[in-house]
Amino acid sequence: MDPADIARLLQAHLKRVGCDPGAADGAWTAPSQKALDSFNRYAGTKFDVKVASLDALDAVRARPDRICPLVCARGQKAVGDRCVQIVCDNKFVLDAQGVCQRRPDPSPQKPKAVSRHEPSPRAPSAPASSEGGKCHTYGGKQYWQ
């Protein structure tokens, strides 16, 4: 068999048992090697991950069910053999770890105690002159002389 055909078949069977190698294109790249490494870990095998071999193909082909655990995206959970969106009840919200947490109380918080200051006394106005002055208006303002 052609090495690319072996790689393509091995990739297809790795995907079938849940060890996703990416595209089944016959190119034995890092994602394919990582998938075979996962298969080795969960199946208890020790195949060389750097090459797509007939022995590895036979071993993966012999597995009828999923070997590698289902890995779901953030906000999803594994249900059976599928990933489904996590849905929280109305009073809950999904946190960064994918867990439903109680939604924060939307009621406004009471303001903290505020100290009240008495308004500062106004500066005393100039005492009225006993001499009596004249009042002039200029530009809408009043001036005393």
Side-chain angles (χ1 to χ4, degrees), residues 54-127:
L54 282 173
D55 290 337
L57 176 58
D58 289 342
V60 176
R61 216 184 246 174
R63 296 293 180 146
D65 297 322
R66 174 180 289 280
I67 288 293
C68 295
L70 185 60
V71 178
C72 298
R74 176 175 278 160
Q76 296 183 333
K77 64 181 177 180
V79 175
D81 214 21
R82 294 182 20 187
C83 292
V84 295
Q85 192 70 31
I86 298 172
V87 179
C88 300
D89 290 337
N90 285 343
K91 294 182 181 180
F92 292 83
V93 64
L94 194 64
D95 69 8
Q97 288 75 34
V99 177
C100 291
Q101 297 288 330
R102 185 169 292 281
R103 188 179 304 267
D105 186 13
S107 62
Q109 295 181 358
K110 295 180 181 178
K112 295 181 179 178
V114 177
S115 61
R116 296 185 182 219
H117 296 288
E118 292 297 321
S120 59
R122 295 188 177 196
S125 56

Side-chain angles (χ1 to χ4, degrees), residues 4-16 19-33 35:
D5 289 336
I6 295 170
R8 189 176 300 107
L9 283 170
L10 182 53
Q11 288 167 331
H13 283 284
L14 283 167
K15 185 173 283 214
R16 181 183 58 78
C19 305
D20 188 12
D25 57 5
W28 197 251
T29 57
S32 299
Q33 293 173 12

Side-chain angles (χ1 to χ4, degrees), residues 119-134:
S120 59
R122 295 188 177 196
S125 56
S129 170
S130 59
E131 299 174 4
K134 292 184 179 178

